Amino acid sequence: MNRLVVVESPTKAQTIRSFLPDGDFHVEASMGHIRDLPASAEEIPSEYEDEDWARLGVKVTNGFEPLYVVPSKKKGVVRDLREALSDADVLYIATDEDREGESIGWHLLNVLEPEVPVRRMVFHEITQDAIRGALEDTRDLDMHLVEAQKTRRILDRLVGYSISPLLWRKIKPKLSAGRVQSVAVRLLVQQETERITFVPATYWDLEARLSKEEIGVDAEMTHLNGVRLAAGRDFDEDTGRLKEDLTEGEDVVLLNEEQATTLAEQLPEQTWRIADIKERTRTKSPYAPFITSTLQQEANRKLNLSSGRTMSVAQSLYENGYITYMRTDSTNLSSKAVEGARRTVTERYGGEYLSDKVRQYSSSESAQEAHEAIRPAGSDMKTKDELGLRGIEGALYDLIWKRTLATQMADAKVRYTNVYFDAEVDGSVARFRASGKKFDFPGFFRVLVEGSDDPEAALRDRERPLPSLEVGETSVGSTPDSASEDQGFRVRSVEPLGHETQPPSRYTEASLVETLEDEGIGRPSTYATIIDTIQDRGYVRKEGSSLVPTFTAFATNNLMEAQFKPLVDVNFTAQMEDVLDDIARGEKKPTPYLRDFYLGDDGVEPRVEEGLDEIDGREISSVSFPDQWGDYVVRVGRYGPYVEGTLNESTVTASLPDDLAPGEVTEEKLQSILEEANAGDRVLGIHPDADKPVLLKSGPYGPYIQLGDDEENDPKRVSLPPGVEPEDVDFELGLQIANLPRVLGEHPDTGSPIKANIGRYGPYVQHEGTFASLRDNDDVLTIEFERGLELIRAEEDANKPDRVLGPHPKTEEPVEVWNGRYGPYVKHDGTNASLKDDQSIDAVTMEEALDLLAEKGDSATQEVRS
């Protein structure tokens, strides 16, 4: 019997192939979905081109029936699958076990139309036991899951394809709306708005440095005469004053700099006394095993991985058989996994580190079809070193391994100690508090330090030790005297500390994912895509780990809140997810919901039509904060954000820098930008050779030198070099800039000139078609030939592949290996595919490169690999 097994990717196919019984199994990859809604007008079949609904790809007047098409890049895959199916006696659909995988399987059946028996095999880990078990325990396709995925896809299409054109008309081209992405943008905008309106407050406290038995102790002042010192939480974010329910002097003490400084000078000379010591022991239990969202959060915090990168690495680990399925809402662990984890804990750390009973964690009510948490595959619970995993794959696996073992380990017992010191000065009593922390039993923390050179030392590093101290003990003075320190503690120093309250922190990928999950918005498997999309569309840029919303995000959110308030409402969006869950369980029909959502009285379609007629694009694209920015208004236009305001009784505008965050804008900054942009032309002198004026001007992209008047046809313009301010420019400097490009000399190999110039992206040197940007310490006006040649040769070397593996087996075009900005990758005929973390430029083979290219969608390679 010839049996065909279809999975999503070549890597998964290769791994599964090794676990199938010898003989008559043939494994093929569908390369993800083989059909979808039309992505462009070119994909719409000719018989539907004139239909009103064709652009949407959804027949809204016929039960919201989707129009599915096979994209051109998947036609070869479909042909190969049909050919493989023609020799098969039975077809196994072995796609992932979630809604997306079920949908891929359903599309396969609809396109391939098999005439042989079809069996759905499901598994959440790729091990021999799991694959063999799935072959014996097959089922039919779950059409409820298919309907849920289909409904989600239609909802996303209705929102995106209906509202996006409204954004293009009213704000600027190439914007997009999305059912979940628009809510994510709103969260970011709301946080940035809080930062803009935030009013900082200043307060002071003191920090003391004490010691005993050569152990340093840090203590912070908490009270003065029994009244606690004001802290950041006591101030109103909108006014910078104490909150209305607090009375200064009665509820809190608000120290100023002078008072804090005086106390700091006097306190070291006083006698300090330990007034109280309080101890408490807390039991800490391990976190639940990873689900998709918590893995993304932890990988972002611990490994600095983006959500997208985390899922890519996790996908590789899963498809190679190292971890269970990585798109899951469930915290459940199988009995086999629990037994393996408990056995490993006992073997590695001893029975005292094992929890008294098996721990299981309850999942959220919305947990979907992938019924187990993310954990190491199988039951052996091997470490990354035992599996030979390296690099980022090893690091991510290590997080998963540690979290899984921790779930079955004993609670940690942590003793917290607070020591309270009193010191009297000028009739007032200042109280300080020192805090200590010590493990009475480390419990599950022991596995978290696994891999350290000295695990016991790593555990001690997590403690805050205190020396032996007793109530009533007094200070012995501040002069070094080891003998006297035996009778008491020493006050080393007291420092006044000034604090300014801080605005709410911007979201990071980890905190945004956490918020989306807490609010029930979207599903963990979609978060990575959402974060990538809002960056690609210009709604967000990353600044370090922070997600910074742009002015475009503010304008788009203005329109969404004004015209589609429910769509960006957190509760409404969460309720939509509940509806999809109900459909997945077979408890709700999709068509009535879709009809009300899109065509109802307050549905998407009528709201879009109303918006096209009534929304004022100029008004909706405006962002203003009168209390913070005065009368200046930022607007988002077709070419980006600009500020509008009054100068010399005239309304003027100026473009804003792309990297200016809304939360960093001040009235003074906007005024400065307007003044600089509208300063008028300054004639520096007359060019001695061209007999034309050399002008200093300011434009949308900053100040520049112009040779000739505006009346001339296309006068020469050159931006000021980096670091040169308009006030620095005199005639001599202006002449140097106007004379660019400079010829540095002739290239020794070609005889062609090497030139230095300033372009749109800054200063550079050029030789024929090679351009090399100048470094920070290079000056375009003074750079010499040798340095220019060095930069050109470095750029020419960078434009050569690190290795050529050979001709492609189908196209005969070269398959190359490059070391790029984001890491090494293989390249063929315009397709780039990143190397895996355990692959290197020097060692990657042609076979491995072809696998990578096939996974990336290179059609020629897919034909070869099929």
Side-chain angles (χ1 to χ4, degrees):
M1 180 181 289
N2 189 3
R3 296 181 251 198
L4 174 63
V5 180
V6 180
V7 298
E8 297 94 332
S9 75
T11 301
K12 185 175 177 181
Q14 183 176 352
T15 307
I16 286 177
R17 195 175 289 121
S18 66
F19 295 133
L20 290 170
D22 294 334
D24 50 8
F25 281 93
H26 184 59
V27 187
E28 289 286 347
S30 70
M31 313 307 295
H33 279 279
I34 59 169
R35 69 175 186 172
D36 196 1
L37 301 176
S40 64
E42 290 76 20
E43 290 188 356
I44 299 173
S46 57
E47 63 265 32
Y48 299 118
E49 287 179 350
D50 297 330
E51 298 289 346
D52 293 339
W53 50 264
R55 185 183 61 83
L56 288 174
V58 179
K59 303 175 185 178
V60 296
T61 57
N62 186 26
F64 289 86
E65 179 186 348
L67 172 65
Y68 289 119
V69 298
V70 177
S72 57
K73 66 180 182 179
K74 289 300 178 75
K75 293 186 186 299
V77 176
V78 171
R79 183 185 63 247
D80 294 341
L81 289 173
R82 281 181 173 148
E83 183 178 339
L85 182 60
S86 66
D87 296 329
D89 300 306
V90 61
L91 171 63
Y92 288 87
I93 302 296
T95 51
D96 294 338
E97 62 175 326
D98 56 7
R99 296 174 191 172
E100 207 68 32
E102 209 74 12
S103 178
I104 291 173
W106 178 75
H107 284 297
L108 284 167
L109 297 189
N110 278 269
V111 172
L112 299 179
E113 298 178 317
E115 297 179 356
V116 297
V118 177
R119 296 171 184 170
R120 174 73 166 114
M121 55 185 289
V122 293
F123 44 87
H124 56 265
E125 60 182 339
I126 304 178
T127 62
Q128 180 166 301
D129 289 346
I131 299 304
R132 298 285 178 93
L135 284 172
E136 299 299 323
D137 187 20
T138 59
R139 60 165 172 80
D140 294 330
L141 277 176
D142 187 331
M143 289 308 299
H144 295 317
L145 300 184
V146 174
E147 286 297 324
Q149 191 279 341
K150 186 193 300 184
T151 305
R152 179 189 293 276
R153 187 72 183 94
I154 292 171
L155 281 170
D156 290 342
R157 175 57 66 96
L158 294 176
V159 171
Y161 274 49
S162 298
I163 299 177
S164 296
L166 180 62
L167 297 176
W168 305 340
R169 289 272 298 274
K170 300 300 181 179
I171 301 177
K172 60 181 290 190
K174 298 184 180 179
L175 298 181
S176 71
R179 187 178 56 84
V180 178
Q181 81 171 51
S182 295
V183 183
V185 169
R186 187 187 189 205
L187 289 171
L188 293 162
V189 168
Q190 288 175 328
Q191 194 87 329
E192 193 77 357
T193 298
E194 291 183 21
R195 291 175 63 86
I196 293 170
T197 59
F198 179 82
V199 179
T202 300
Y203 62 97
W204 288 78
D205 58 20
L206 292 89
E207 182 178 80
R209 181 68 174 170
L210 316 175
S211 69
K212 184 180 180 182
E213 301 166 358
E214 298 184 354
I215 298 175
V217 178
D218 292 326
E220 59 178 353
M221 185 174 171
T222 60
H223 291 73
L224 183 64
N225 293 327
V227 181
R228 71 175 179 85
L229 299 191
R233 65 180 183 274
D234 298 319
F235 296 91
D236 189 299
E237 294 183 352
D238 296 326
T239 66
R241 301 189 184 95
L242 285 174
K243 293 178 178 177
E244 292 182 356
D245 60 344
L246 296 175
T247 302
E248 187 177 354
E250 295 181 11
D251 300 307
V252 293
V253 173
L254 184 56
L255 293 179
N256 58 34
E257 181 177 7
E258 182 181 354
Q259 292 169 318
T261 301
T262 300
L263 284 170
E265 292 171 349
Q266 295 175 335
L267 281 168
E269 306 305 321
Q270 312 305 313
T271 298
W272 293 41
R273 176 179 173 275
I274 297 178
D276 197 8
I277 297 178
K278 293 181 178 178
E279 284 190 352
R280 71 188 191 283
T281 299
R282 286 185 56 190
T283 298
K284 301 196 72 168
S285 299
Y287 290 116
F290 284 127
I291 59 176
T292 303
S293 59
T294 53
L295 178 64
Q296 290 175 3
Q297 294 167 45
E298 193 74 354
N300 183 256
R301 295 185 181 113
K302 297 283 182 64
L303 306 178
N304 199 30
L305 292 183
S306 68
S307 297
R309 180 66 172 140
T310 298
M311 295 310 293
S312 174
V313 176
Q315 177 99 23
S316 175
L317 289 171
Y318 165 67
E319 292 184 345
N320 283 285
Y322 296 122
I323 64 171
T324 54
Y325 189 55
M326 67 288 159
R327 294 186 181 92
T328 174
D329 293 352
S330 174
T331 55
N332 178 54
L333 289 174
S334 68
S335 58
K336 177 181 67 174
V338 169
E339 290 169 4
R342 294 179 71 82
R343 180 179 63 251
T344 302
V345 169
T346 303
E347 291 172 353
R348 284 184 170 274
Y349 309 115
E352 69 272 21
Y353 279 91
L354 194 65
S355 59
D356 293 336
K357 58 182 180 180
V358 169
R359 270 203 190 89
Q360 288 288 6
Y361 296 82
S362 59
S363 301
S364 66
E365 293 181 3
S366 62
Q368 288 185 18
E369 316 59 56
H371 299 302
E372 193 169 358
I374 304 169
R375 61 166 176 83
S379 59
D380 291 341
M381 298 294 157
K382 293 182 178 179
T383 66
K384 64 182 177 66
D385 293 332
E386 291 169 339
L387 293 172
L389 289 172
R390 298 289 183 268
I392 203 64
E393 283 194 339
L396 189 66
Y397 178 87
D398 194 50
L399 283 182
I400 296 167
W401 181 84
K402 288 176 178 177
R403 179 71 74 102
T404 303
L405 258 61
T407 65
Q408 301 306 313
M409 294 182 72
D411 292 337
K413 292 181 172 54
V414 188
R415 189 181 349 139
Y416 294 92
T417 303
N418 285 335
V419 181
Y420 299 91
F421 302 85
D422 282 351
E424 186 173 344
V425 57
D426 291 340
S428 297
V429 178
R431 170 157 288 195
F432 286 75
R433 180 185 64 222
S435 299
K437 170 186 170 184
K438 181 177 177 57
F439 286 116
D440 287 340
F441 178 65
F444 69 91
F445 280 103
R446 177 59 184 81
V447 74
L448 300 185
V449 297
E450 186 66 36
S452 305
D453 292 337
D454 186 344
E456 296 301 324
L459 282 171
R460 288 194 296 272
D461 288 342
R462 291 173 177 245
E463 298 180 328
R464 291 193 306 272
L466 292 175
S468 59
L469 297 167
E470 297 180 3
V471 174
E473 190 173 334
T474 58
S475 60
V476 295
S478 57
T479 58
D481 184 350
S482 58
S484 62
E485 196 172 270
D486 293 337
Q487 289 97 44
F489 58 91
R490 176 172 289 117
V491 180
R492 296 287 186 182
S493 63
V494 179
E495 298 292 336
L497 298 178
H499 305 275
E500 187 176 81
T501 55
Q502 298 298 310
S505 298
R506 290 189 175 108
Y507 281 106
T508 62
E509 288 199 22
S511 60
L512 181 60
V513 165
E514 185 176 11
T515 300
L516 291 172
E517 185 188 27
D518 288 346
E519 298 290 353
I521 302 167
R523 282 292 175 260
S525 58
T526 66
Y527 293 156
T529 303
I530 291 165
I531 291 172
D532 286 344
T533 299
I534 60 178
Q535 292 181 79
D536 293 341
R537 295 295 183 182
Y539 293 130
V540 176
R541 62 181 177 82
K542 288 194 79 170
E543 193 173 277
S545 61
S546 297
L547 298 173
V548 183
T550 62
F551 287 107
T552 301
F554 273 74
T556 301
N557 188 63
N558 286 348
L559 187 147
M560 295 299 295
E561 286 189 338
Q563 197 65 16
F564 305 99
K565 188 74 175 279
L567 280 181
V568 289
D569 178 77
V570 168
N571 294 326
F572 180 82
T573 308
Q575 289 166 7
M576 292 177 73
E577 296 298 337
D578 293 339
V579 170
L580 292 170
D581 290 340
D582 290 341
I583 294 171
R585 291 189 288 265
E587 298 171 1
K588 198 176 190 72
K589 297 294 184 184
T591 303
Y593 180 77
L594 289 169
R595 185 181 299 113
D596 183 62
F597 173 80
Y598 189 69
L599 300 173
D601 293 340
D602 206 30
V604 170
E605 186 181 59
R607 295 299 291 169
V608 168
E609 295 300 324
E610 179 185 276
L612 287 169
D613 293 335
E614 298 183 5
I615 290 178
D616 183 323
R618 176 180 169 85
E619 179 181 344
I620 208 72
S621 300
S622 301
V623 184
S624 63
F625 291 90
D627 291 341
Q628 288 76 29
W629 299 353
D631 295 332
Y632 297 118
V633 177
V634 173
R635 305 189 196 280
V636 176
R638 178 174 292 271
Y639 303 107
Y642 62 93
V643 58
E644 180 179 289
T646 301
L647 283 181
N648 302 321
E649 301 182 356
S650 298
T651 299
V652 294
T653 63
S655 296
L656 295 179
D658 292 337
D659 59 353
L660 179 61
E664 294 164 3
V665 170
T666 62
E667 184 176 2
E668 294 73 23
K669 187 183 290 287
L670 293 177
Q671 180 178 344
S672 173
I673 291 172
L674 274 174
E675 289 175 345
E676 181 178 311
N678 293 275
D681 302 344
R682 179 153 60 98
V683 179
L684 301 176
I686 303 299
H687 195 288
D689 299 325
D691 195 28
K692 296 179 180 180
V694 178
L695 304 173
L696 175 64
K697 299 171 69 71
S698 185
Y701 302 104
Y704 61 94
I705 297 295
Q706 177 174 303
L707 182 60
D709 294 319
D710 290 336
E711 289 76 14
E712 292 190 22
N713 183 28
D714 193 23
K716 182 177 182 180
R717 299 182 177 95
V718 185
S719 298
L720 297 191
V724 175
E725 300 297 332
E727 55 268 25
D728 300 331
V729 181
D730 56 16
F731 178 57
E732 181 181 354
L733 180 55
L735 199 59
Q736 286 183 276
I737 297 171
N739 284 336
L740 290 173
R742 295 172 53 227
V743 175
L744 307 183
E746 295 181 354
H747 195 290
D749 298 335
T750 67
S752 297
I754 295 176
K755 302 176 182 178
N757 202 358
I758 298 176
R760 181 179 178 184
Y761 301 107
Y764 64 90
V765 287
Q766 175 191 358
H767 166 246
E768 296 182 342
T770 299
F771 295 80
S773 296
L774 301 193
R775 306 298 187 258
D776 290 341
N777 57 344
D778 294 320
D779 185 338
V780 68
L781 301 177
T782 59
I783 186 171
E784 297 181 350
F785 171 73
E786 289 75 11
R787 174 59 175 161
L789 179 62
E790 177 187 350
L791 292 171
I792 288 293
R793 282 181 164 160
E795 186 68 20
E796 289 171 343
D797 289 341
N799 287 327
K800 296 177 182 176
D802 290 74
R803 284 180 67 202
V804 177
L805 299 178
H808 190 278
K810 181 173 178 61
T811 68
E812 297 188 357
E813 293 292 325
V815 177
E816 302 167 340
V817 189
W818 292 71
N819 193 8
R821 179 179 179 185
Y822 301 106
Y825 63 94
V826 292
K827 178 179 181 180
H828 165 252
D829 198 23
T831 299
N832 298 340
S834 296
L835 268 60
K836 297 184 183 299
D837 291 294
D838 59 349
Q839 295 172 330
S840 67
I841 291 175
D842 294 332
V844 66
T845 65
M846 175 66 88
E847 287 297 305
E848 291 171 335
L850 293 176
D851 284 341
L852 294 170
L853 290 165
E855 286 187 45
K856 195 66 176 179
D858 184 57
S859 57
T861 309
Q862 288 175 353
E863 289 185 33
V864 172
R865 303 316 268 169
S866 64

